Amino acid sequence: MTLTKFNENGQRCSSTLSALQMSDRMPEWYRKTSHELFDHFHPIEFDHTMTIAEKIPFMIDWWSQAHDNLVKCKLNIADLETIVRESRIRLRDGCDEFLRFAQENSIPVMIFSAGVTQVIDHVLRQQAHLWPNIKVVSNAMQFDEQGHMIGFEGDIIHTFNKNEGVLEHSSYFKNIADRHNIILMGDAIGDIRMAEGVHNIANLLSIGFLNEREKATERLAQYEDTFDIVLIDDMSMTVPQQIFSYLLSC
């Protein structure tokens, strides 16, 4: 939950997957099973006693089961827009302005997500704008001719395998091959790996969003060891916007 809020007015916001998993438009068994999977695997994702390599098999298992369950729901593509609109997904304060600023200054924005491509697209269209400089790399749903979901494209993208290596041979990667300065933002320790696969990096500034204030004491040291800047319980894009503005003014 990097571009989106973790909480708003004291209430937990949704991720792209939980928006589906919590929707009243989805079957009850799906919501119940999704909650059980979260309770089992989420503690493993944030277990600071485990290495990323140790966590990866569990994440693959989690995402595989979650995707299989979603396919069984036979979700119709026409329902997605409404599910997203009714969800508790909220872009961070200033996100619309941040993305507009990037577009106006020809700054490519690559969104890596372990969520769902079509949900992210709807969120951007509903709450901001899906500018042409934005590339979304996530788990893309596949639909049949009747509009029913039948699966996902390609390999699973989970928390710990989001990196530019998946784009290395794509036309998009070739178009940004001359870009050597990166501002990387993420809310999970594994997000620092998103720049892997990028060649000839001159400068990389990493910003970590530590979303849960009540767990800041437990996780802060690990975040500070991982990211250049750590923002605690900050539901805005103010700091990244100020950094962009300063760099472009130099």
Side-chain angles (χ1 to χ4, degrees), residues 195-210:
E196 292 179 2
V198 182
H199 304 293
N200 303 318
I201 298 177
N203 300 286
L204 190 155
L205 177 68
S206 59
I207 302 173
F209 289 87
L210 209 175

PDB file of all heavy atoms in Angstrom, residues 195-210:
ATOM      1  N   ALA A 195      14.234  -2.503  -7.822  1.00  0.00           N
ATOM      2  CA  ALA A 195      15.196  -1.951  -8.778  1.00  0.00           C
ATOM      3  C   ALA A 195      16.129  -3.013  -9.348  1.00  0.00           C
ATOM      4  O   ALA A 195      16.940  -2.712 -10.237  1.00  0.00           O
ATOM      5  CB  ALA A 195      16.009  -0.836  -8.119  1.00  0.00           C
ATOM      6  N   GLU A 196      16.029  -4.232  -8.850  1.00  0.00           N
ATOM      7  CA  GLU A 196      16.858  -5.297  -9.401  1.00  0.00           C
ATOM      8  C   GLU A 196      16.493  -5.517 -10.872  1.00  0.00           C
ATOM      9  O   GLU A 196      15.326  -5.566 -11.226  1.00  0.00           O
ATOM     10  CB  GLU A 196      16.660  -6.592  -8.610  1.00  0.00           C
ATOM     11  CG  GLU A 196      17.198  -6.522  -7.193  1.00  0.00           C
ATOM     12  CD  GLU A 196      16.974  -7.818  -6.428  1.00  0.00           C
ATOM     13  OE1 GLU A 196      16.432  -8.771  -7.022  1.00  0.00           O
ATOM     14  OE2 GLU A 196      17.330  -7.864  -5.242  1.00  0.00           O
ATOM     15  N   GLY A 197      17.487  -5.648 -11.709  1.00  0.00           N
ATOM     16  CA  GLY A 197      17.242  -5.797 -13.138  1.00  0.00           C
ATOM     17  C   GLY A 197      17.460  -4.505 -13.897  1.00  0.00           C
ATOM     18  O   GLY A 197      17.522  -4.501 -15.127  1.00  0.00           O
ATOM     19  N   VAL A 198      17.579  -3.388 -13.159  1.00  0.00           N
ATOM     20  CA  VAL A 198      17.867  -2.109 -13.810  1.00  0.00           C
ATOM     21  C   VAL A 198      19.376  -1.973 -13.954  1.00  0.00           C
ATOM     22  O   VAL A 198      20.116  -2.118 -12.982  1.00  0.00           O
ATOM     23  CB  VAL A 198      17.332  -0.922 -12.975  1.00  0.00           C
ATOM     24  CG1 VAL A 198      17.595   0.379 -13.706  1.00  0.00           C
ATOM     25  CG2 VAL A 198      15.854  -1.092 -12.689  1.00  0.00           C
ATOM     26  N   HIS A 199      19.827  -1.697 -15.147  1.00  0.00           N
ATOM     27  CA  HIS A 199      21.256  -1.598 -15.398  1.00  0.00           C
ATOM     28  C   HIS A 199      21.735  -0.148 -15.331  1.00  0.00           C
ATOM     29  O   HIS A 199      20.993   0.786 -15.621  1.00  0.00           O
ATOM     30  CB  HIS A 199      21.579  -2.184 -16.776  1.00  0.00           C
ATOM     31  CG  HIS A 199      21.115  -3.601 -16.956  1.00  0.00           C
ATOM     32  ND1 HIS A 199      21.660  -4.664 -16.258  1.00  0.00           N
ATOM     33  CD2 HIS A 199      20.145  -4.133 -17.736  1.00  0.00           C
ATOM     34  CE1 HIS A 199      21.058  -5.777 -16.608  1.00  0.00           C
ATOM     35  NE2 HIS A 199      20.131  -5.486 -17.509  1.00  0.00           N
ATOM     36  N   ASN A 200      22.977   0.012 -14.930  1.00  0.00           N
ATOM     37  CA  ASN A 200      23.647   1.321 -14.949  1.00  0.00           C
ATOM     38  C   ASN A 200      22.906   2.380 -14.136  1.00  0.00           C
ATOM     39  O   ASN A 200      22.670   3.493 -14.602  1.00  0.00           O
ATOM     40  CB  ASN A 200      23.816   1.808 -16.391  1.00  0.00           C
ATOM     41  CG  ASN A 200      24.591   0.823 -17.246  1.00  0.00           C
ATOM     42  OD1 ASN A 200      25.589   0.265 -16.793  1.00  0.00           O
ATOM     43  ND2 ASN A 200      24.133   0.602 -18.466  1.00  0.00           N
ATOM     44  N   ILE A 201      22.540   2.024 -12.899  1.00  0.00           N
ATOM     45  CA  ILE A 201      21.911   2.998 -12.009  1.00  0.00           C
ATOM     46  C   ILE A 201      22.968   3.975 -11.507  1.00  0.00           C
ATOM     47  O   ILE A 201      23.991   3.575 -10.952  1.00  0.00           O
ATOM     48  CB  ILE A 201      21.249   2.301 -10.812  1.00  0.00           C
ATOM     49  CG1 ILE A 201      20.144   1.358 -11.271  1.00  0.00           C
ATOM     50  CG2 ILE A 201      20.681   3.336  -9.837  1.00  0.00           C
ATOM     51  CD1 ILE A 201      19.502   0.574 -10.142  1.00  0.00           C
ATOM     52  N   ALA A 202      22.711   5.265 -11.707  1.00  0.00           N
ATOM     53  CA  ALA A 202      23.634   6.289 -11.221  1.00  0.00           C
ATOM     54  C   ALA A 202      23.276   6.702  -9.794  1.00  0.00           C
ATOM     55  O   ALA A 202      24.141   6.829  -8.930  1.00  0.00           O
ATOM     56  CB  ALA A 202      23.625   7.502 -12.147  1.00  0.00           C
ATOM     57  N   ASN A 203      21.984   6.922  -9.558  1.00  0.00           N
ATOM     58  CA  ASN A 203      21.521   7.354  -8.236  1.00  0.00           C
ATOM     59  C   ASN A 203      20.194   6.676  -7.923  1.00  0.00           C
ATOM     60  O   ASN A 203      19.298   6.633  -8.768  1.00  0.00           O
ATOM     61  CB  ASN A 203      21.329   8.874  -8.192  1.00  0.00           C
ATOM     62  CG  ASN A 203      22.613   9.632  -8.473  1.00  0.00           C
ATOM     63  OD1 ASN A 203      23.511   9.696  -7.640  1.00  0.00           O
ATOM     64  ND2 ASN A 203      22.706  10.193  -9.674  1.00  0.00           N
ATOM     65  N   LEU A 204      20.081   6.169  -6.708  1.00  0.00           N
ATOM     66  CA  LEU A 204      18.834   5.552  -6.265  1.00  0.00           C
ATOM     67  C   LEU A 204      18.501   6.069  -4.868  1.00  0.00           C
ATOM     68  O   LEU A 204      19.293   5.921  -3.939  1.00  0.00           O
ATOM     69  CB  LEU A 204      18.937   4.036  -6.252  1.00  0.00           C
ATOM     70  CG  LEU A 204      17.627   3.250  -6.029  1.00  0.00           C
ATOM     71  CD1 LEU A 204      17.727   1.847  -6.624  1.00  0.00           C
ATOM     72  CD2 LEU A 204      17.244   3.142  -4.563  1.00  0.00           C
ATOM     73  N   LEU A 205      17.353   6.698  -4.739  1.00  0.00           N
ATOM     74  CA  LEU A 205      16.854   7.162  -3.450  1.00  0.00           C
ATOM     75  C   LEU A 205      15.640   6.319  -3.098  1.00  0.00           C
ATOM     76  O   LEU A 205      14.672   6.271  -3.860  1.00  0.00           O
ATOM     77  CB  LEU A 205      16.464   8.644  -3.505  1.00  0.00           C
ATOM     78  CG  LEU A 205      15.848   9.221  -2.217  1.00  0.00           C
ATOM     79  CD1 LEU A 205      16.901   9.284  -1.118  1.00  0.00           C
ATOM     80  CD2 LEU A 205      15.252  10.607  -2.480  1.00  0.00           C
ATOM     81  N   SER A 206      15.674   5.661  -1.939  1.00  0.00           N
ATOM     82  CA  SER A 206      14.568   4.783  -1.549  1.00  0.00           C
ATOM     83  C   SER A 206      13.786   5.397  -0.389  1.00  0.00           C
ATOM     84  O   SER A 206      14.358   5.932   0.554  1.00  0.00           O
ATOM     85  CB  SER A 206      15.089   3.396  -1.158  1.00  0.00           C
ATOM     86  OG  SER A 206      16.014   3.482  -0.086  1.00  0.00           O
ATOM     87  N   ILE A 207      12.462   5.298  -0.501  1.00  0.00           N
ATOM     88  CA  ILE A 207      11.552   5.826   0.521  1.00  0.00           C
ATOM     89  C   ILE A 207      10.657   4.694   0.994  1.00  0.00           C
ATOM     90  O   ILE A 207       9.960   4.064   0.192  1.00  0.00           O
ATOM     91  CB  ILE A 207      10.677   6.964  -0.041  1.00  0.00           C
ATOM     92  CG1 ILE A 207      11.559   8.093  -0.574  1.00  0.00           C
ATOM     93  CG2 ILE A 207       9.730   7.494   1.032  1.00  0.00           C
ATOM     94  CD1 ILE A 207      10.767   9.181  -1.291  1.00  0.00           C
ATOM     95  N   GLY A 208      10.678   4.432   2.281  1.00  0.00           N
ATOM     96  CA  GLY A 208       9.857   3.374   2.849  1.00  0.00           C
ATOM     97  C   GLY A 208       8.706   3.941   3.660  1.00  0.00           C
ATOM     98  O   GLY A 208       8.904   4.788   4.529  1.00  0.00           O
ATOM     99  N   PHE A 209       7.504   3.470   3.355  1.00  0.00           N
ATOM    100  CA  PHE A 209       6.318   3.870   4.109  1.00  0.00           C
ATOM    101  C   PHE A 209       6.042   2.806   5.184  1.00  0.00           C
ATOM    102  O   PHE A 209       5.632   1.698   4.850  1.00  0.00           O
ATOM    103  CB  PHE A 209       5.100   4.009   3.187  1.00  0.00           C
ATOM    104  CG  PHE A 209       5.166   5.193   2.266  1.00  0.00           C
ATOM    105  CD1 PHE A 209       5.791   5.102   1.024  1.00  0.00           C
ATOM    106  CD2 PHE A 209       4.589   6.400   2.627  1.00  0.00           C
ATOM    107  CE1 PHE A 209       5.843   6.187   0.166  1.00  0.00           C
ATOM    108  CE2 PHE A 209       4.633   7.495   1.780  1.00  0.00           C
ATOM    109  CZ  PHE A 209       5.262   7.391   0.553  1.00  0.00           C
ATOM    110  N   LEU A 210       6.280   3.169   6.444  1.00  0.00           N
ATOM    111  CA  LEU A 210       5.970   2.268   7.551  1.00  0.00           C
ATOM    112  C   LEU A 210       4.566   2.639   8.008  1.00  0.00           C
ATOM    113  O   LEU A 210       4.369   3.578   8.758  1.00  0.00           O
ATOM    114  CB  LEU A 210       6.994   2.436   8.687  1.00  0.00           C
ATOM    115  CG  LEU A 210       7.277   1.211   9.559  1.00  0.00           C
ATOM    116  CD1 LEU A 210       8.393   1.496  10.544  1.00  0.00           C
ATOM    117  CD2 LEU A 210       6.055   0.710  10.272  1.00  0.00           C
TER     118      LEU A 210
END
